[in-house]
Amino acid sequence: MLTSQRKKTILAILKKTGHVEAKTLAADFAVSEDTVRRDLRELAAEGQLQRVHGGAMRASPAVADLAQRQAISSSGKAAIAAAAAGLVSAGQLIILDGGTTCAELARQLPLDMPLTVATHSPSIALALAGHAQIEVILIGGRLYRHSMVAVGAGALEALRHIRADTYFMGVTGVHPEAGYSTGDLEEAHIKRALSAHAAETVVLASSEKLNAASRYPIGALGMAGTLIVERDTPRDLIDALGRDGMVIITA
């Protein structure tokens, strides 16, 4: 089998299952594991997959910059945001992550609901400026421009003074084995810290993020109590993601 054919087959398997093993591919292709690993390295360099120990996972397209991500699955994100807004109650202190889905959630919060929102996203804080009943706490730090959020020691220090009811977390990858992941190391650190300062974590994940992985792990699936996905998410994937008892809401 030609290299191009092997790569095309690898990507087809990833699209269907979300992961491949180098040893299995080598046997199926009747080539050495070194040959398969070279194929995986080249595909990873092209951004087509995320390499892991022993194989690879489907790479999340959600690691594109903010402007590109705003155009991805916009209707699905709106539905997910509406479901998330339904989980918010008056008088709560919630944490809103950065990213396009959480930005949509900010827009869908009721104008007349008294609420406190802490966020490390300047754009989300600005989106809430017209909500007179919402007190906004802006968490400062070094600006990570890719996602327009504050990260680093300053943001972590500010979190010491916040105990939230719910953290609505955005991710770039949700995978049954790899858990939650994102494309930046410091962003992974701040997401773990935000989750640790909330009684409950709710993950918002549009379709392109499911069964995919990014370079930096945030945590196992169990770090969140609830995952909100699009209504047409395959049943077998929902079962795989919810096997440890996590509540999965389809929107």
Side-chain angles (χ1 to χ4, degrees):
M1 183 181 290
L2 297 174
T3 301
S4 59
Q5 293 174 312
R6 289 198 306 271
K7 289 181 177 179
K8 188 176 295 185
T9 302
I10 289 170
L11 294 176
I13 296 171
L14 283 173
K15 184 176 181 180
K16 182 178 180 180
T17 68
H19 68 280
V20 293
E21 294 182 356
K23 184 176 182 180
T24 302
L25 290 174
D28 290 344
F29 295 151
V31 297
S32 69
E33 286 190 47
D34 284 342
T35 298
V36 170
R37 282 193 287 268
R38 185 184 66 236
D39 292 342
L40 298 180
R41 283 197 301 271
E42 291 173 357
L43 287 168
E46 297 168 5
Q48 301 274 12
L49 54 79
Q50 176 62 52
R51 293 183 68 205
V52 295
H53 181 72
M57 295 182 180
R58 187 172 70 88
S60 171
V63 295
D65 63 32
L66 189 63
Q68 291 175 289
R69 284 182 287 130
Q70 286 172 337
I72 298 176
S73 191
S74 56
S75 61
K77 290 178 182 179
I80 289 170
L87 301 178
V88 180
S89 301
Q92 286 187 322
L93 166 56
I94 67 171
I95 298 174
L96 283 189
D97 209 345
T100 54
T101 310
C102 284
E104 181 63 32
L105 169 55
R107 286 189 287 270
Q108 295 203 31
L109 291 173
L111 288 170
D112 59 350
M113 179 181 285
L115 192 67
T116 300
V117 175
T119 182
H120 63 317
S121 167
S123 57
I124 285 181
L126 184 61
L128 293 170
H131 290 60
Q133 297 298 312
I134 295 181
E135 179 181 354
V136 180
I137 300 172
L138 182 57
I139 299 167
R142 182 181 66 81
L143 183 65
Y144 174 48
R145 288 181 174 83
H146 179 274
S147 296
M148 292 301 292
V149 294
V151 297
L156 293 174
E157 173 61 25
L159 276 174
R160 291 179 54 196
H161 309 288
I162 295 174
R163 292 290 176 190
D165 295 292
T166 307
Y167 166 41
F168 291 95
M169 182 169 74
V171 297
T172 59
V174 180
H175 194 279
E177 279 76 44
Y180 308 113
S181 55
T182 189
D184 179 78
L185 178 61
E186 284 199 77
E187 199 172 19
H189 281 306
I190 195 70
K191 288 178 188 291
R192 284 192 293 271
L194 290 165
S195 180
H197 283 77
E200 180 183 6
T201 296
V202 176
V203 174
L204 314 180
S206 47
S207 60
E208 77 278 3
K209 301 168 185 176
L210 299 179
N211 217 19
S214 295
R215 181 166 294 176
Y216 297 100
I218 301 168
L221 292 180
M223 75 179 290
T226 303
L227 172 66
I228 306 179
V229 299
E230 294 180 45
R231 187 176 301 276
D232 59 357
T233 301
R235 184 74 248 175
D236 58 344
L237 180 55
I238 289 176
D239 291 341
L241 293 171
R243 65 190 173 200
D244 294 326
M246 179 171 55
V247 175
I248 299 182
I249 298 173
T250 56

